[in-house]
Amino acid sequence: MSRTHRIAVLAGDGIGPEVMSESLRVLDAVEARSGFATERTEALVGGAAIDDGGHPLPEATVNACEASDAILFGSVGGPKWESLPPDIQPERGALLPLRKHFGLFANLRPGVCLPSLTHASPVKNELIPNGFDVLCVRELTGGVYFGSPKGREERDGEPVAFDTMIYKKSEIERILHVAFTAAMQRGKRLTSVDKANVLASSVLWRETATEVAASYPEVRMDHLYVDNAAMQLVRRPGSFDVMVTENLFGDILSDEMAMISGSLGMLPSASLGAKKEGTDLYFGMYEPSGGSAPDIAGQGIANPIAQILSAAMLLRYSLGEGQAADLIEAAVARTIDAGFRTGDIATGADGETKVGTKDMADAIIERL
Ligand code: IPM
Ligand code: MG
């Protein structure tokens, strides 16, 4: 074995553990073919960690992540922990601190609707004859999520609460560079989304986007207000290539995008931090775009593809194993072409084979 990489494996709750173990089997298979190895450290996160020791993000888990080249994350949360105070709920108490701690400022969320799966999209099929493929680049460590002051107090005899939407120019610049770089590798079109008709932070966003654009003359950039972007996404999703936006707008638009793609169970995501010195590789955390789906957890029917494609993104962006990532992505595409369908993407049409979590992974491994 020539190359060994270290990854932290945080399976979490709900369908997390069952799709995670399938993605690790795919990794095993791809490693055997590609001449590298991953050393994996499993650690508790989310509800599983709360049940174990009372906190959704134990120090041991943070340490395991720090000692790794990347984090493969499953999903967290579920009804069991919903009545806890917000700060120690699985989502807020684990995800947000992980993002902040590791400086994971760039969230890449592909919204892909394959031509063969347009039936699963809630968008009228005549609007998306060829499916679509949009990449949402969401700023992830700034804006109103983390801005201060943030709080709640009494004013004039009644409670008030406030958050601060704030961006430094340098924060806008670095996310724009990530988005332009992605656009250069794709269709060379970028839509910057803001609310510059109302918000000061958006005025700075738009100014900065326009400045950064000068360094990427080949990319055609346009600007949309976020309300309009939300409408255009359902009307003409096929016309977008890369979309870049601030944290809260990205939270909302990326969910809209995932929903119209019709196959939440197929969408991976990457949250990238700084590049590792002297390389083009990022420290990053990789997770399915969908949630922990507690309603179908433990039944062996969840679609493992989002988790498997998250592992592929991890290989590409954090480990420099792009060829292995290509192998996985091609095998997934062939598996879909061959008609394998988990419940979330099945129609019952001729030529489809309905499979569960494990059989889907087997079908992918066979096609590597
Ligand atoms: C997401 C989630 C999180 C967010 C929540 C769980 C804190 O919605 O990853 O999009 O708002 O960023
Ligand atoms: Mg969200």
Side-chain angles (χ1 to χ4, degrees):
M1 268 315 147
S2 46
R3 310 180 295 279
T4 302
H5 309 285
R6 280 164 309 174
I7 61 180
V9 174
L10 278 50
D13 311 316
I15 60 169
E18 59 202 274
V19 293
M20 181 65 83
S21 52
E22 298 313 319
S23 74
L24 296 179
R25 283 205 302 129
V26 173
L27 261 187
D28 289 337
V30 107
E31 288 175 22
R33 285 166 180 68
S34 309
F36 70 93
T38 56
E39 221 174 84
R40 303 166 195 165
T41 310
E42 298 192 7
L44 291 172
V45 73
I50 296 175
D51 290 350
D52 182 71
H55 196 277
L57 185 62
E59 215 181 293
T61 299
V62 176
N63 293 341
C65 295
E66 274 174 356
S68 302
D69 299 309
I71 306 168
L72 188 59
F73 193 94
S75 52
V76 292
K80 185 173 174 194
W81 307 282
E82 263 162 21
S83 47
L84 292 171
D87 282 351
I88 64 154
Q89 278 183 19
E91 294 90 340
R92 261 181 71 176
L95 272 180
L96 299 186
L98 274 170
R99 289 173 186 168
K100 201 64 183 174
H101 183 82
F102 290 101
L104 306 175
F105 70 93
N107 185 212
L108 311 187
R109 296 190 178 186
V112 178
C113 180
L114 297 173
S116 57
L117 297 179
T118 50
H119 62 80
S121 170
V123 172
K124 277 200 198 110
N125 278 209
E126 63 256 36
L127 293 176
I128 45 170
N130 307 311
F132 55 85
D133 179 351
V134 190
L135 176 68
C136 179
V137 177
R138 168 187 174 193
E139 202 290 325
L140 202 59
T141 51
V144 74
Y145 271 60
F146 295 100
S148 66
K150 180 192 262 307
R152 185 180 160 126
E153 61 195 36
E154 282 291 297
R155 282 188 203 167
D156 303 324
E158 65 173 332
V160 298
F162 44 90
D163 300 281
T164 303
M165 190 183 270
I166 180 168
Y167 271 104
K168 291 191 279 202
K169 190 176 171 98
S170 55
E171 290 175 305
I172 304 172
E173 281 168 348
R174 68 178 180 176
I175 192 71
L176 258 304
H177 282 295
V178 171
F180 272 109
T181 303
M184 283 298 288
Q185 291 159 0
R186 295 172 41 111
K188 299 194 173 157
R189 283 177 299 115
L190 177 63
T191 303
S192 175
V193 175
D194 62 42
K195 189 72 185 170
N197 50 346
V198 178
L199 302 173
S201 57
S202 279
V203 172
L204 180 61
W205 182 281
R206 192 173 283 219
E207 265 169 40
T208 308
T210 305
E211 275 172 36
V212 174
S215 310
Y216 301 88
E218 285 177 55
V219 177
R220 195 149 47 85
M221 181 179 67
D222 60 348
H223 304 272
L224 284 183
Y225 295 136
V226 62
D227 48 351
N228 190 17
M231 292 197 294
Q232 301 308 325
L233 253 184
V234 289
R235 207 183 60 150
R236 49 176 182 92
S239 72
F240 293 100
D241 180 17
V242 181
M243 203 172 242
V244 61
T245 192
E246 67 88 43
N247 203 345
L248 179 62
F249 299 162
D251 179 44
I252 299 165
L253 290 180
S254 64
D255 261 26
E256 182 187 357
M257 222 177 60
M259 174 50 68
I260 62 171
S261 82
S263 38
L264 198 48
M266 308 238 329
L267 302 179
S269 78
S271 303
L272 307 178
K275 282 193 184 158
K276 296 175 204 170
E277 274 238 347
T279 73
D280 258 327
L281 303 176
Y282 296 89
F283 183 84
M285 179 162 104
Y286 301 82
E287 63 185 301
S289 280
S292 58
D295 51 320
I296 59 162
Q299 299 177 33
I301 58 171
N303 190 342
I305 290 180
Q307 191 75 58
I308 290 167
L309 291 177
S310 297
M313 287 184 101
L314 181 153
L315 293 174
R316 176 174 297 119
Y317 291 109
S318 286
L319 306 188
E321 301 289 356
Q323 275 183 355
D326 292 344
L327 274 182
I328 294 178
E329 287 163 359
V332 167
R334 279 196 290 274
T335 304
I336 295 296
D337 285 344
F340 290 90
R341 301 282 187 271
T342 40
D344 55 318
I345 50 174
T347 58
D350 286 351
E352 285 187 358
T353 309
K354 196 157 171 207
V355 290
T357 312
K358 202 174 166 309
D359 291 339
M360 180 63 104
D362 282 335
I364 292 167
I365 291 169
E366 255 171 54
R367 286 168 181 74
L368 279 171

